[in-house]
Amino acid sequence: MNENHRKVPKRIEQAILDSLKGGVVPRIGLPYITVGRKNEIEALLRDVDIIADGGASFRFIVGRYGSGKSFLIQTIRNYVMDKGFIVADADLSPERRLQGTRGQGLATYRELISNLSTKTKPEGGALTLVLDRWISGVQAQAVRETGLEPGDAALTQAVDQKIYAVTSAVSELVHGFEIGLPQSHWL
């Protein structure tokens, strides 16, 4: 069968049509309808490769209304989430800017955190999953290092100390004091 004439599964077809009827970019099935964005997608996928190798990349996608910015971003989001990346995105606007005197920078940060997505939580709201996984990793590391059993009060203290070590390192950054609170201020 010719690759250019792949059959779209019915459930994906319906999701695509429903999204397009509603005027929004489909969350699934984008590879079936992506046309004419080869250069942009290849450039962004090179950035993904850099990130996967431990590097960093940052891009702004700019264009007129209807030029396909959201479509392009959603295409890349789906691809990288399938590869196990955590994704955050936000549209900039007068209310959400990189900085501002009326909390616009904070609004952008809130939007990014609200839109934090993973493969298992692609619609956003994945911060809890990310933190739970990190804390589980800290607990497992503490068990390996101390040999203590789960439920042991000394293990809880060892985990708290590991978390405090990370958050106190963050407190040295600009505005980091809001994150790296002393243990006496933990809830």
Side-chain angles (χ1 to χ4, degrees):
M1 177 181 228
N2 186 343
E3 277 297 307
N4 295 330
H5 294 69
R6 292 181 293 166
K7 180 112 173 103
V8 180
K10 285 286 185 197
R11 70 175 183 80
I12 292 176
E13 175 185 322
Q14 193 59 51
I16 292 169
L17 291 174
D18 290 345
S19 295
L20 293 175
K21 285 179 192 174
V24 297
V25 176
R27 289 280 188 189
I28 61 170
L30 288 178
Y32 293 104
I33 61 173
T34 302
V35 177
R37 302 310 292 251
K38 183 179 181 203
N39 293 338
E40 294 98 332
I41 290 172
E42 285 177 355
L44 292 169
L45 292 180
R46 279 192 299 274
D47 289 350
V48 170
D49 291 339
I50 291 168
I51 294 165
D53 288 338
S57 182
F58 185 87
R59 293 218 186 213
F60 288 97
I61 309 291
V62 180
R64 293 179 186 260
Y65 179 80
S67 63
K69 300 176 301 293
S70 297
F71 186 92
L72 182 61
I73 289 170
Q74 189 63 42
T75 300
I76 299 302
R77 275 178 100 249
N78 290 350
Y79 175 82
V80 299
M81 282 191 297
D82 282 345
K83 298 291 182 189
F85 282 77
I86 298 170
V87 178
D89 64 88
D91 290 333
L92 298 180
S93 68
E95 297 81 31
R96 287 192 304 269
R97 301 181 352 200
L98 295 179
Q99 58 81 30
T101 57
R102 295 188 186 105
Q104 296 98 328
L106 182 57
T108 303
Y109 174 76
R110 285 182 177 142
E111 182 78 0
L112 287 167
I113 295 304
S114 174
N115 291 340
L116 199 66
S117 302
T118 63
K119 186 176 182 176
T120 58
K121 195 132 172 136
E123 299 297 321
L127 180 61
T128 303
L129 293 174
V130 171
L131 290 175
D132 286 346
R133 185 171 178 184
W134 176 67
I135 290 171
S136 293
V138 170
Q139 290 170 331
Q141 183 182 12
V143 166
R144 283 191 308 273
E145 291 175 359
T146 64
L148 298 170
E149 295 292 321
D152 191 324
L155 178 62
T156 302
Q157 185 176 9
V159 170
D160 286 350
Q161 288 172 348
K162 286 185 163 302
I163 292 171
Y164 178 70
V166 171
T167 58
S168 60
V170 171
S171 72
E172 296 173 10
L173 303 173
V174 175
H175 298 295
F177 64 93
E178 295 169 349
I179 297 172
L181 296 174
Q183 285 179 320
S184 61
H185 290 84
W186 288 9
L187 295 176

